[in-house]
Amino acid sequence: MSNAPQQKPGGFGRASRTLSLWVLAFLVPFVFFQMTSGRNEQSPPIDYTIYDQQLSADNVSRVTVIGGREVNGEFKNRVLVDGREVKRFSTTFPVANSENEIERLRAKQVSIKAEDPRLSMGAILLQMLPWIIIIGIWVFLLRQMQAGGNKAFSFGKSKAKLLSGDTPKVTFADVAGADEAKVELREIIEFLKDPARFTKLGGRLPKGALLVGPPGTGKTLLARAVAGEAGRPFFSMSGSDFVEMFVGVGASRVRDLFEQGKANAPCIIFIDEIDAVGRHRGAGLGGGHDEREQTLNQLLVEMDGFESNDGVILIAATNRPDVLDPALLRPGRFDRQIVVDAPDLRGREGILKVHIRNKPLAEDVDIHKLARGTPGMAGADLANLVNEAALLAARNNHDKIYMVDFENAKDRVMLGAERKSLVMREEERRLTAFHEAGHAVCAIRVKGNDPLHKVTIVPRGRALGLAFTLPEDDRVSVTREQIEARLAMAYGGRVAEELIFGRMHVTTGASSDIQQATGIARRYVSQWGLSDAIGPILVGDNEQEVFLGRELTSRRTVSERTAQQVDDEVARVINEAYNRAMDTITTHRDLLERIANALLERETLTREDIAYLEKGEALPPRPEPPATMPPAEKVPLPAAEPRRAPPLMGGPEPSPA
């Protein structure tokens, strides 16, 4: 079988027409030059001496003087020049516009004719070149706009990509942690494959499905899986591809997209980030303009308008459903809204199993334990975690990916990379150790806190140390006891500094703890209704920005008296948390000192290390590092950016100086 590229139908015809156009463009000036030349017979050039002799012999009948110097003429009798007889001739006067030459011609009674100098072929082409270029560009643009497709300047054509059989397929086997969403989408796929099974009972094909969920939960991955499972034409497009700087282009692209869909029905159209084009109409604030609203209007009409688009299913994805226009969300357009939320424990375990396929894992890797230690992480975060673990294992020259690599990668992703280049004085290091030990003691001894996961005085991000907890299971709500325990833990670091070093040596390192605790306390009073003095009333903020119609106004939602009560109650809740932390650390000061000294020795303590310290036992030696591959050059890897961290209490931050 030959691998030579095949000539597309009509390709030779298009090439011949283009070649003919350029030949015509050069032929016209040439013909024009020949027509304006006025020469029907060749006039060979002769020397001026021969011309002078023949003029003196009265053998010149007529001449045409061009430009005052060039002469074309005719002899009365033929003259032998260079071995041939000539009747016509051409020559050049030695001096332009010579009066003597004209007088001699008059004296011989020669017929004289004067003409302006003729342009040369090059000069004519040079003058016509701008017009040739303009006409050529105009013809090119006209042909390209008529051709359509994805060619240049076809603004009104859809930019949707049709997934072909050569595209690597993603199936539902590659998607984990979204079982409910897969069930909903699988039903749409079955409807496309066997519509008679559903229509015989009076059902109709769904018009659209909207995937809603936080970033990184796998909405686009689900759409790719639908494309792999459906076996039908699948058009993929982004919401930003509709909107251009030219008014009406977006609406034209919507029409063209659905025309392609109807031509390939039954099919699926996927629009990613539909909030770029589906925002609420009439909201002049935030960049609303006529082009976007016209595009949205056309999309509404195409989905459920006067003409039906049978066999075309629209799947869209967004993480901002609150900004979408209500007309877009109604049944008949998006019949189903499929929530793709953060995965639970079983979902995270399934996602990790998907991403560790074809990776060499050590025997000590516990996927269940790793999934329990990553609450709140989405699918993209877990994929990044596995990738970071593989990179760290390669950086440490390990032969496999060990559990310690996953733990280090988890700390790197959730908390940021270690700042090993930061050198702290011994006094600052000791202060940081007691600060983090104060958080740890409150986390252990105050009832309601999640289990303490790790305490470290190794700087990460902007914090000089960290103490953070991890819940034992997934949680959808928080109790009052847990909130008050969290507030007490927040002030554990400040209280420990005050007890050990005195009030005059307390630092500004607890600023992030105070900010976090103040925010929790205000929501405790004004939003969650947990204050006995205020009661279960949604108070909100004292002043709230409200968008009314087309203007942004600031409206007071509570009275001055209620606002003062809220402030007093917030202060009371914070003071109670501070006093509770003071009592806890004062009672367990021996545990505080054991944890601080262990931090100064080892810098990082795990949950198992804390358990030994609680019992008053000595810490066991560190485990041996994992096996390594043969020595190889280690390439430093860039630091990972923090993604999403669990509830934690940060250590002292560097001073502004």
Side-chain angles (χ1 to χ4, degrees):
M1 181 179 293
S2 175
N3 294 327
Q6 298 181 358
Q7 179 71 30
K8 294 183 179 180
F12 179 76
R14 287 194 296 269
S16 62
R17 288 195 297 268
T18 304
L19 181 61
S20 301
L21 178 64
W22 287 109
V23 170
L24 182 63
F26 282 100
L27 187 60
V28 168
F30 179 76
V31 173
F32 175 77
F33 174 77
Q34 293 295 332
M35 292 177 62
T36 56
S37 63
R39 291 183 297 177
N40 298 323
E41 185 178 347
Q42 186 177 8
S43 299
I46 63 174
D47 294 339
Y48 177 77
T49 302
I50 299 176
Y51 161 78
D52 184 61
Q53 293 173 354
Q54 296 299 321
L55 180 61
S56 300
D58 197 15
N59 192 28
V60 178
S61 62
R62 63 175 180 270
V63 296
T64 301
V65 182
I66 303 172
R69 189 171 184 183
E70 183 181 352
V71 180
N72 291 331
E74 183 178 347
F75 294 124
K76 294 179 180 179
N77 301 313
R78 291 183 178 274
V79 178
L80 185 64
V81 179
D82 295 335
R84 62 172 179 169
E85 295 182 349
V86 297
K87 183 72 172 179
R88 292 179 172 273
F89 69 91
S90 63
T91 188
T92 304
F93 289 154
V95 179
N97 298 319
S98 174
E99 290 291 338
N100 294 332
E101 295 291 343
I102 301 300
E103 290 297 331
R104 291 182 61 198
L105 290 171
R106 288 176 179 174
K108 298 295 182 178
Q109 296 182 352
V110 177
S111 175
I112 304 173
K113 183 179 179 181
E115 291 182 359
D116 292 329
R118 289 191 300 267
L119 295 177
S120 64
M121 185 65 179
I124 294 175
L125 290 178
L126 187 62
Q127 289 185 357
M128 296 186 64
L129 184 61
W131 294 100
I132 295 174
I133 294 176
I134 293 174
I135 295 174
I137 294 176
W138 179 78
V139 172
F140 173 77
L141 295 182
L142 184 62
R143 290 170 58 87
Q144 293 287 52
M145 294 181 68
Q146 290 175 350
N150 289 329
K151 296 182 179 180
F153 299 101
S154 56
F155 299 114
K157 298 298 180 180
S158 170
K159 294 184 177 181
K161 298 178 181 178
L162 176 62
L163 270 67
S164 61
D166 299 335
T167 305
K169 287 188 176 181
V170 177
T171 63
F172 282 143
D174 302 314
V175 182
D179 297 335
E180 295 82 2
K182 287 197 293 185
V183 170
E184 295 281 346
L185 293 173
R186 194 181 297 275
E187 183 177 337
I188 295 177
I189 295 173
E190 292 175 356
F191 203 119
L192 284 173
K193 292 182 177 180
D194 187 13
R197 174 185 169 191
F198 299 90
T199 55
K200 67 181 181 180
L201 298 178
R204 64 174 179 83
L205 187 69
K207 292 291 185 67
L210 181 64
L211 302 177
V212 179
T217 52
K219 299 183 292 296
T220 306
L221 183 63
L222 277 170
R224 293 173 60 190
V226 171
E229 295 278 352
R232 300 289 183 181
F234 189 92
F235 295 91
S236 176
M237 195 171 181
S238 173
S240 60
D241 291 335
F242 289 107
V243 183
E244 292 282 357
M245 62 181 292
F246 302 102
V247 177
V249 172
S252 176
R253 288 180 178 173
V254 171
R255 288 190 295 269
D256 185 70
L257 174 62
F258 278 87
E259 286 176 2
Q260 294 182 41
K262 286 185 286 186
N264 294 274
C267 70
I268 299 175
I269 295 175
F270 174 63
I271 301 178
D272 200 6
E273 304 295 345
I274 195 173
D275 52 274
V277 70
R279 285 176 176 270
H280 198 296
R281 289 172 293 180
L285 183 70
H289 53 86
D290 291 339
E291 165 61 8
R292 183 182 55 78
E293 292 190 1
Q294 287 186 22
T295 306
L296 175 57
N297 291 336
Q298 187 64 41
L299 180 62
L300 297 176
V301 171
E302 293 291 344
M303 291 185 68
D304 187 23
F306 192 79
E307 296 182 359
S308 61
N309 290 316
D310 296 331
V312 179
I313 297 179
L314 180 64
I315 299 178
T318 181
N319 51 28
R320 301 189 62 190
D322 54 308
V323 302
L324 296 180
D325 193 90
L328 190 63
L329 300 177
R330 72 163 176 81
R333 291 195 172 108
F334 283 114
D335 299 287
R336 298 181 181 181
Q337 294 189 26
I338 303 173
V339 178
V340 187
D341 211 341
D344 55 6
L345 175 61
R346 188 179 65 176
R348 293 196 299 275
E349 190 171 351
I351 294 173
L352 288 171
K353 289 180 179 178
V354 169
H355 291 294
I356 64 175
R357 290 184 304 192
N358 304 323
K359 288 183 173 61
L361 298 182
E363 292 76 10
D364 65 339
V365 175
D366 188 349
I367 298 299
H368 181 72
K369 179 181 178 182
L370 190 61
R372 289 186 59 184
T374 53
M377 276 195 172
D381 301 322
L382 295 173
N384 186 36
L385 171 65
V386 174
N387 184 62
E388 286 291 338
L391 295 178
L392 286 175
R395 183 180 184 182
N396 295 325
N397 214 26
H398 293 170
D399 58 345
K400 298 178 181 179
I401 305 177
Y402 291 84
M403 190 65 184
V404 65
D405 297 319
F406 281 105
E407 291 293 337
N408 292 335
K410 183 173 66 175
D411 295 343
R412 186 187 187 96
V413 171
M414 299 169 70
L415 308 175
E418 297 181 358
R419 298 169 57 194
K420 297 181 179 180
S421 60
L422 180 62
V423 179
M424 293 189 296
R425 294 179 295 130
E426 186 62 29
E427 180 182 355
E428 292 178 340
R429 190 167 177 270
R430 188 165 182 269
L431 187 146
T432 303
F434 276 96
H435 183 103
E436 300 306 327
H439 288 311
V441 170
C442 289
I444 297 170
R445 296 306 184 192
V446 177
K447 184 180 179 181
N449 275 312
D450 295 323
L452 186 65
H453 177 69
K454 184 176 290 187
V455 186
T456 179
I457 58 173
V458 177
R460 289 181 179 272
R462 296 192 61 190
L464 301 181
L466 295 169
F468 58 98
T469 61
L470 284 177
E472 294 182 342
D473 51 9
D474 293 325
R475 181 178 300 149
V476 295
S477 60
V478 184
T479 64
R480 180 173 182 173
E481 180 185 50
Q482 292 169 338
I483 296 173
E484 293 178 353
R486 180 72 52 76
L487 289 172
M489 180 183 173
Y491 284 101
R494 165 59 68 87
V495 170
E497 292 182 17
E498 186 174 339
L499 285 178
I500 300 300
F501 302 98
R503 292 182 59 85
M504 298 305 296
H505 294 278
V506 171
T507 67
T508 61
S511 60
S512 60
D513 300 331
I514 297 174
Q515 181 180 5
Q516 181 181 6
T518 304
I520 295 175
R522 184 163 293 277
R523 292 193 296 273
Y524 178 98
V525 175
S526 61
Q527 296 182 16
W528 299 331
L530 300 177
S531 171
D532 296 330
I534 302 298
I537 301 175
L538 180 61
V539 179
D541 297 330
N542 188 18
E543 290 189 356
Q544 180 180 3
E545 290 185 344
V546 182
F547 181 67
L548 301 174
R550 294 183 176 275
E551 59 180 358
L552 184 68
T553 61
S554 180
R555 184 177 66 187
R556 187 177 299 276
T557 58
V558 296
S559 63
E560 291 286 352
R561 180 174 176 273
T562 304
Q564 185 62 46
Q565 288 180 341
V566 170
D567 292 339
D568 295 341
E569 195 64 14
V570 170
R572 183 192 65 79
V573 172
I574 291 176
N575 289 329
E576 285 186 359
Y578 186 88
N579 294 331
R580 189 178 183 185
M582 179 69 73
D583 295 340
T584 302
I585 293 179
T586 303
T587 304
H588 302 283
R589 182 163 179 167
D590 55 341
L591 178 60
L592 173 73
E593 294 181 353
R594 287 200 299 271
I595 294 176
N597 292 330
L599 284 172
L600 291 172
E601 178 184 352
R602 295 197 172 185
E603 292 189 336
T604 300
L605 300 177
T606 62
R607 180 182 302 183
E608 292 77 13
D609 297 333
I610 297 296
Y612 282 106
L613 295 175
E614 283 188 84
K615 299 175 184 178
E617 300 176 0
L619 295 177
R622 291 290 190 188
E624 294 294 329
T628 59
M629 295 185 295
E633 182 181 358
K634 297 182 179 180
V635 180
L637 302 177
E641 292 294 333
R643 294 298 300 272
R644 183 184 290 107
L648 57 89
M649 296 302 157
E653 295 184 353
S655 63

